[in-house]
Amino acid sequence: MHVAEDEIELKFLCEPVDLAAVLAAAPDGETQSKDLVSTYFDTPDGDLRKQRISLRIREGGGKRVQTLKRGDGFAREEHEATLDGPALDLAMPALKAALPRAARRKALTPRFTVRVVRRQRTFEFGGSRIEIAADEGEVQAGDRVRRVSEVELELKGGGCEAMFDLARQLSKTAPLYLSFDGKASQGYGLADGTDRAPRRHDKAPLARGLSTAEAFQATARNALVQIAANGVVLREADSVEAVHQLRVAVRRLRSAISTFKSVTAGEPVEAVKAELKWLARACDEARDLDVFALENDAFTEPGLDLAALAPLVEAARQRGHAKACAAVASGRFRDLVLEATAWVETGAWLTAHGKTARRAREAPVQGFAAKALSHRYKTLLKLGRDLETMSDADRHEARIAAKKLRYAAEAFAPLFDTDTKPFIKTLKALQEHLGALNDGVMAAELVARLSLKGPALAAAKRLLAARAAQKPKTLKAAGKAMDSLAETPVFW
């Protein structure tokens, strides 16, 4: 028997010692304990993974169930079939749709295995029916093994708001970190060695036919996945790239909120924006010093000896990274990710009354995207006039405008049939030149904050002089890039 439905759940990473306390804090009900063994399948080329699909056979409680899930994060498409024998059901309709060629389905082989002890129960809470599951065990891929310790809340009936309310309640019992990576994602990462690699930006799955509200949700979910994943990396070990990717994700989410402000406006969004600003600032020092140190290493000016400066910069970098790592391990970070997700999925902006608000939410995203891109583009052209003669502060405003336009252009690109690459490539070049100019300004500010003396101060002054000597060339390049962008046809 084949069953298809949407799975709506919240998944939290939790220390094993806290699982019992979390279960005890949940509403009462009959608790079942099961030993579950799940084997995940894919083709040698990873055809399912490329489509954000997971396929498994789960054994437990005397049953074998084949499950195919599509999508990431909060809500996923789920198809199940009870099996009579040990083999995959290659005739499952959802599997046939994912792999139309029979040869590809026959090529499916086990990729990794998940073994957990699951304690679960179902209950009524806040007018909804919710299942809580505490999983403890391991993921194994070849010789590599990783611990699994998670709490899942799955909506079985009713509204999502109650599930978030329960999550808030349980979070007072133990540190619960919202995660958007299912066991399949963890298994794939373990198999290819990327299980704790910094999470880079992955384009949101925007497509024609989405409403403006749906497009914002897809974009915001994408950024939240990146924020949560890089938080996991930094809680395990410091990482220059993870700090960078965390900041990128925060900036993209803040930019998306700004781009879609006509749809998402309201009091709750201000709280989300404030917390995202806090997180960005918690990472700023580390990232600015990382860039400063990296660029210093690239300087090859004759006689430029930075030996006295380097250890002081490194010490400041370590302090900055400690601050960033502490931020993602904090209760404030846990609350931020949970509350931002709750706002994206259940916020009042989704049901705001009035014809204007409803029309804005339900309007096809293509028209919205074209207007948003035009607005961002005109703003950049206005702010980018005379880049070579304006003040550093004004160039900074132009840089921010270029960044916002690029984020919007990359996010909305799939909605248009025209070639988007020339415009985005030219925009990226402009952003890089403006970024280099901003790095020069930040270098002077960082040196001032380091309160240097003696040989270190002398080395820093020589370094800043060498940077200043490069500024005219970079200014000229930025001006040319701005002219090129103005001449490049837009794609919307």
Side-chain angles (χ1 to χ4, degrees):
M1 178 181 178
H2 297 277
V3 178
E5 59 183 14
D6 287 336
E7 178 190 58
I8 299 176
E9 70 174 12
L10 295 174
K11 182 188 297 289
F12 298 90
L13 304 180
C14 180
E15 290 298 318
V17 295
D18 293 324
L19 290 175
V22 173
L23 276 175
D28 293 334
E30 182 182 355
T31 301
Q32 297 178 321
S33 182
K34 300 178 182 178
D35 292 329
L36 301 177
V37 179
S38 300
T39 303
Y40 287 77
F41 296 79
D42 206 338
T43 67
D45 295 329
D47 291 303
L48 294 181
R49 186 184 188 185
K50 292 173 185 175
Q51 300 179 64
R52 301 187 180 191
I53 292 174
S54 66
L55 176 67
R56 76 175 184 224
I57 292 179
R58 170 173 286 174
E59 301 177 62
K63 294 191 300 183
R64 291 170 55 83
V65 178
Q66 177 173 315
T67 304
L68 182 147
K69 296 184 182 182
R70 184 192 302 271
D72 299 310
F74 179 69
R76 292 182 291 178
E77 176 186 326
E78 182 179 66
H79 303 262
E80 286 194 344
T82 302
L83 301 177
D84 295 325
L88 279 169
D89 177 5
L90 300 182
M92 173 186 262
L95 180 55
K96 291 177 70 175
L99 298 175
R101 291 174 54 196
R104 303 306 292 168
R105 296 196 297 278
K106 290 180 181 178
L108 291 165
T109 55
R111 300 298 298 273
F112 50 89
T113 303
V114 179
R115 297 178 178 85
V116 299
V117 176
R118 166 166 290 186
R119 288 171 287 170
Q120 67 183 55
R121 64 174 174 267
T122 304
F123 45 78
E124 300 292 329
F125 181 86
S128 294
R129 190 160 181 78
I130 299 171
E131 177 187 270
I132 185 170
D135 288 348
E136 185 174 1
E138 64 181 26
V139 182
Q140 182 173 1
D143 295 331
R144 301 195 68 205
V145 177
R146 282 197 72 92
R147 183 190 71 179
V148 171
S149 182
E150 300 175 345
V151 173
E152 296 179 3
L153 301 178
E154 183 174 351
L155 187 68
K156 295 296 186 179
C160 300
E161 294 87 347
M163 192 165 60
F164 282 103
D165 287 339
L166 178 58
R168 296 182 182 102
Q169 180 177 304
L170 297 178
S171 294
K172 297 176 182 178
T173 304
L176 299 178
Y177 293 91
L178 186 59
S179 172
F180 302 95
D181 287 336
K183 295 181 178 66
S185 296
Q186 297 176 56
Y188 277 119
L190 192 65
D192 61 18
T194 61
D195 50 315
R196 286 300 180 261
R199 186 67 58 86
R200 299 182 64 82
H201 171 61
D202 186 18
K203 291 183 180 178
L206 299 191
R208 289 175 175 270
L210 288 180
S211 69
T212 301
E214 289 170 334
F216 170 71
Q217 286 183 308
T219 304
R221 288 168 186 152
N222 189 263
L224 285 165
V225 167
Q226 190 181 6
I227 290 171
N230 284 297
V232 173
V233 175
L234 289 170
R235 286 193 295 275
E236 290 207 352
D238 188 16
S239 165
V240 170
E241 183 63 15
V243 170
H244 174 49
Q245 293 302 329
L246 177 60
R247 282 179 83 241
V248 168
V250 171
R251 289 202 306 259
R252 285 187 178 276
L253 182 51
R254 292 175 69 189
S255 180
I257 291 172
S258 174
T259 297
F260 287 88
K261 63 184 178 182
S262 62
V263 176
T264 63
E267 185 175 341
V269 72
E270 297 305 319
V272 173
K273 287 164 60 177
E275 290 305 283
L276 288 171
K277 192 172 184 178
W278 159 77
L279 182 56
R281 286 179 172 174
C283 298
D284 282 347
E285 184 179 352
R287 181 57 186 169
D288 289 342
L289 284 161
D290 286 340
V291 172
F292 182 62
L294 184 64
E295 292 180 345
N296 291 349
D297 291 341
F299 268 94
T300 58
E301 298 290 327
L304 183 61
D305 185 359
L306 302 180
L309 177 62
L312 299 178
V313 173
E314 181 58 27
R317 283 184 67 238
Q318 294 299 324
R319 292 192 295 271
H321 275 264
K323 180 180 178 181
C325 291
V328 299
S330 69
R332 189 171 182 177
F333 177 83
R334 296 194 297 271
D335 290 344
L336 185 164
V337 179
L338 178 61
E339 294 302 335
T341 303
W343 172 72
V344 169
E345 304 298 345
T346 67
W349 67 275
L350 284 163
T351 55
H353 295 300
K355 291 182 179 179
T356 301
R358 187 171 61 253
R359 280 200 299 266
R361 290 194 304 270
E362 296 175 355
V365 71
Q366 293 96 309
F368 175 88
K371 290 180 181 179
L373 288 167
S374 292
H375 173 71
R376 291 256 186 251
Y377 181 55
K378 290 176 182 177
T379 299
L380 175 57
L381 292 180
K382 181 179 179 180
L383 292 175
R385 294 188 188 129
D386 303 319
L387 281 177
E388 296 183 57
T389 59
M390 67 175 55
S391 67
D392 289 333
D394 288 340
R395 266 192 301 274
H396 175 69
E397 292 301 315
R399 182 181 69 88
I400 296 300
K403 185 181 297 183
K404 289 182 177 180
L405 176 58
R406 180 182 169 190
Y407 290 161
E410 290 178 340
F412 292 140
L415 302 176
F416 299 92
D417 294 331
T418 52
D419 187 4
T420 63
K421 292 180 181 179
F423 183 86
I424 293 176
K425 182 179 179 180
T426 306
L427 178 58
K428 183 179 179 181
L430 170 63
Q431 186 184 343
E432 288 176 348
H433 292 310
L434 291 174
L437 291 166
N438 186 67
D439 290 342
V441 175
M442 287 303 305
E445 294 181 7
L446 288 170
V447 166
R449 292 205 298 265
L450 289 173
S451 301
L452 302 172
K453 298 178 181 179
L457 178 58
K461 287 181 177 179
R462 289 193 295 271
L463 174 65
L464 292 179
R467 283 176 172 268
Q470 294 183 338
K471 187 174 182 179
K473 181 180 179 180
T474 309
L475 277 171
K476 188 174 182 180
K480 287 184 176 180
M482 190 72 234
D483 291 341
S484 295
L485 183 71
E487 296 168 0
T488 303
V490 300
F491 60 82
W492 56 89

